[in-house]
Amino acid sequence: MSPDLPPVVPSVTAELVGALPPRLRKRLDAGVTKLVARPAVRDGDTVRIAVDDDTDLVLHAPGGAVTRADAIRCGCLLAPDCLHRAAAASAAPVADEAPAGDPEKPETPDEPETAPAAGAGDDAANAGRRAAARAVSDAAAAVLEAGTDGAGAVLQAELLHAAHTARLAGLPRLSAAAVAVVTGVRAARSGDPGYRLTDLAGALAGVLGVAHRLPHATGPELTGLRGTARQPYRPDGSLRLYGLFSEPVLTATGYAGAVTWTADAEGRLYTVSDVAPGGPARATGAADRAVRIGDTSLTHRELSRAGLAVSGATVSPKGRLGAGAGVRAVRASGVAWRAEPLDRLWAEPAAEQVSRALNGGRDLLFLEVTPVGAVRETAGDCLLADCDGLSVLLTTAHDDPSLPCRENLRLLAAAGRGRLRIVARLVPGPFPRALLLAAEHPADPDARVDLGLDRLQHADLPGGVVAPPDRALPAGDEAPLHLLRRRVHQAVSGGRRVLAFAGDRPGDGARLRRAGLATAGDLLDDLHAAAADRSRDVFGRLLPADTDRFGRSWLAAAVYTDAVERALCADAWGATATGAGGARPRRPRSTEVRRT
């Protein structure tokens, strides 16, 4: 995936790849690799790529995204059904055909555009939705079958086509989930530093899970599974907001910018965002742009420390402030974190905050910690801190070297200060872990540092000396659940064939059962059996694999692993977590499951 190219909507990519003859489809992945190596020159809404000395490829993206197939033009002899146009669409980030109101997406209008209510439509429409769900399920299962190593541009285009079909059928949640899988696959194949295998596994489980449940859902469950094309904004009258912090946004989908978090007098959180197609430069630059609410000239960086008085406010269900024509906003005074009303955010026990996050609430944690020092991990140094007797690992929210996250964390670990208030984002896992977003200044408790935007200096440290990491995490006994989780992740990377060839390691299932994880042992056995199940025809030739069975076996293992990991995370923080059905997952019977 090339961040130099403008985002392309799924329907355009599917159309261009679908128009290729079979001989060109086989060359598409090589064409993508060759194209991304060519320099792209941007001029306003137009991006031009010199395919060779005599041929130019032009992408026209009014509004920041390519929304029509004829907006990608090529001067080669095989155009319009040429490899270059399809390669450009396959290399570009995936654009949103209908923004979903997520904080990591561009601003949307305040007027709601919701999916039809549950039960609306005739039998033909319901049949169309079932067919669309089946198409997405088949396409996603084919991607899982191949793994990221084998899921090239053609399989990606087929999933994008299914996503577009789902959107037209009134299933925006399923469509968005399918697009997220394609984005993750492209990030994996391009070596994107922001790629995380765990995130792609979660995206695959999400799209397969929604597609599996849709045909059988009714009532409120069906409404939730359909989702909405845009989150509706509701009127919220007048608001007096106090700035908390700002964080950069840098996504694998090609969007970048900043989000500023604020709170009202009751502790409710609201966000203001400025996110659009772009890269790291836009993520750092957005902090110094004026927020897009009313006539205020406050920048995001200024708002994170000041306040805002808003009249005629509109707010999304996730607390995102709308920027409609009727909204008025003026600058107001801010307060320190240790002053009211912000002080109350840190008064809630950490366990209660984690419980809320695991049960579907906001994932921000407001913690007061004592830094212990830097520790070494494979992915880089992190900060070990004490939170009321609980050891917590604080890691960077972004690894991009153009952002100051990692250097700030290293300096903060060496600051040598006592109690420190921080804002972090929960990372579910068997050990208390969170992404560090903002912190009190090491030398001034009345000041704060947005760790993804502000850059600490050595002079800011009380001692002025930065010591190297002198600690390593004790290895302890890793939860036996990793035996199943490892196979779930291996399938995402290498596809079915990896599990078919690897087979079950001797004793893996037995070890899971001895640890009280009998279901995990059964799921592991079934996953290997589904991977190895290949029938032959009367001539002894292998028949195509049953991707549906493998997909269902993998989904069962992924859902189970997630549920148990949530329970382990809750136990590590002393919190509670409920499963999908509303009941707390049964805690494994063995202490081997806990990492010490």
Side-chain angles (χ1 to χ4, degrees):
M1 182 171 61
S2 173
D4 297 327
L5 298 177
V8 178
V9 297
S11 57
V12 169
T13 305
E15 179 181 343
L16 293 178
V17 174
L20 291 177
R23 64 180 182 84
L24 291 183
R25 283 193 172 202
K26 295 178 181 179
R27 296 166 48 191
L28 182 54
D29 289 331
V32 171
T33 302
K34 182 178 179 180
L35 188 71
V36 296
R38 305 294 296 176
V41 179
R42 184 181 295 271
D43 182 13
D45 292 335
T46 301
V47 175
R48 187 179 302 273
I49 303 173
V51 177
D52 53 40
D53 293 339
D54 303 316
T55 306
D56 282 350
L57 180 70
V58 178
L59 295 85
H60 186 54
V66 176
T67 58
R68 296 170 55 90
D70 58 11
I72 303 179
R73 302 187 298 275
C74 183
C76 75
L77 296 177
L78 295 180
D81 297 332
C82 66
L83 185 68
H84 304 127
R85 297 175 72 218
S90 300
V94 184
D96 292 325
E97 292 189 280
D102 190 278
E104 295 190 274
K105 297 296 190 332
E107 284 280 25
T108 58
D110 293 337
E111 293 77 18
E113 181 185 320
T114 58
D122 53 20
D123 292 340
N126 293 325
R129 294 188 183 102
R130 287 194 296 270
R134 180 76 258 178
V136 171
S137 178
D138 290 344
V143 168
L144 177 64
E145 161 84 10
T148 57
D149 296 340
V154 173
L155 284 181
Q156 295 169 28
E158 290 173 354
L159 184 52
L160 289 177
H161 175 72
H164 179 63
T165 301
R167 176 177 171 269
L168 295 179
L171 302 173
R173 178 179 173 183
L174 185 62
S175 176
V179 169
V181 170
V182 174
T183 297
V185 169
R186 290 184 178 179
R189 292 174 63 87
S190 65
D192 189 324
Y195 167 71
R196 297 290 183 271
L197 176 59
T198 301
D199 294 340
L200 179 55
L204 270 167
V207 70
L208 289 172
V210 173
H212 175 74
R213 292 159 56 196
L214 263 169
H216 315 288
T218 58
E221 183 187 11
L222 177 58
T223 300
L225 291 174
R226 285 179 179 173
T228 58
R230 292 178 184 168
Q231 289 199 2
Y233 282 72
R234 56 176 174 78
D236 206 14
S238 297
L239 297 173
R240 175 64 169 92
L241 303 177
Y242 302 85
L244 271 169
F245 72 99
S246 290
E247 62 173 320
V249 173
L250 189 60
T251 75
T253 61
Y255 287 94
V259 172
T260 299
W261 292 79
T262 65
D264 67 7
E266 303 300 322
R268 292 186 294 263
L269 299 185
Y270 298 83
T271 60
V272 182
S273 64
D274 180 1
V275 183
R282 194 182 194 287
T284 55
D288 295 312
R289 293 191 181 92
V291 298
R292 293 185 289 177
I293 296 183
D295 299 324
T296 179
S297 60
L298 273 174
T299 66
H300 283 269
R301 196 185 301 273
E302 292 170 336
L303 176 58
S304 69
R305 292 154 174 83
L308 204 63
V310 185
S311 61
T314 56
V315 184
S316 78
K318 291 186 177 181
R320 183 176 174 185
L321 291 172
V327 180
R328 298 289 182 268
V330 296
R331 179 173 186 154
S333 60
V335 297
W337 280 358
R338 293 183 179 270
E340 287 293 342
L342 299 185
D343 181 69
R344 68 180 60 193
L345 294 171
W346 279 266
E348 185 179 16
E352 295 181 12
Q353 297 185 52
V354 171
S355 295
R356 179 178 57 249
L358 291 175
N359 295 324
R362 66 169 189 256
D363 59 358
L364 289 186
L365 303 180
F366 298 88
L367 307 176
E368 193 158 344
V369 302
T370 301
V372 176
V375 296
R376 296 182 298 272
E377 283 195 318
T378 304
D381 298 344
C382 56
L383 171 60
L384 182 65
D386 176 83
C387 181
D388 294 329
L390 184 69
S391 295
V392 179
L393 278 177
L394 301 173
T395 59
T396 57
H398 297 280
D399 288 326
D400 193 286
S402 63
L403 300 178
C405 303
R406 187 161 296 283
E407 181 63 16
N408 282 342
L409 183 140
R410 190 173 72 89
L411 291 172
L412 202 61
R417 185 183 159 185
R419 301 286 285 177
L420 192 72
R421 285 191 171 182
I422 64 170
V423 182
R425 180 168 284 118
L426 177 67
V427 178
F431 190 89
R433 181 185 292 265
L435 304 178
L436 190 56
L437 303 175
E440 288 179 329
H441 195 283
D444 183 2
D446 291 331
R448 67 196 72 159
V449 181
D450 295 333
L451 295 167
L453 297 171
D454 303 327
R455 196 174 292 274
L456 283 170
Q457 305 295 329
H458 286 248
D460 295 324
L461 304 184
V465 178
V466 179
D470 59 355
R471 297 171 178 83
L473 287 178
D477 293 326
E478 189 175 6
L481 188 66
H482 80 281
L483 300 173
L484 179 60
R485 180 178 60 245
R486 179 179 58 201
R487 295 306 187 192
V488 168
H489 287 175
Q490 282 180 337
V492 175
S493 295
R496 180 197 57 79
R497 65 186 181 279
V498 171
L499 298 191
F501 294 152
D504 190 10
R505 288 190 177 184
D508 280 359
R511 182 180 173 188
L512 287 167
R513 292 182 180 91
R514 285 197 303 270
L517 299 172
T519 302
D522 293 342
L523 290 171
L524 181 60
D525 294 342
D526 184 66
L527 184 59
H528 281 293
D533 184 16
R534 294 291 300 275
S535 301
R536 296 180 181 270
D537 62 15
V538 294
F539 299 105
R541 296 172 299 193
L542 281 174
L543 295 173
D546 187 349
T547 58
D548 185 60
R549 181 195 171 189
F550 179 67
R552 284 185 281 108
S553 297
W554 181 88
L555 177 61
V559 170
Y560 172 87
T561 302
D562 178 70
V564 175
E565 285 184 335
R566 282 164 45 85
L568 290 172
C569 178
D571 185 66
W573 288 88
T576 57
T578 58
R584 180 175 180 174
R586 179 182 61 84
R587 181 181 174 185
R589 296 192 299 269
S590 172
T591 55
E592 286 186 55
V593 179
R594 295 192 61 186
R595 181 178 178 180
T596 60

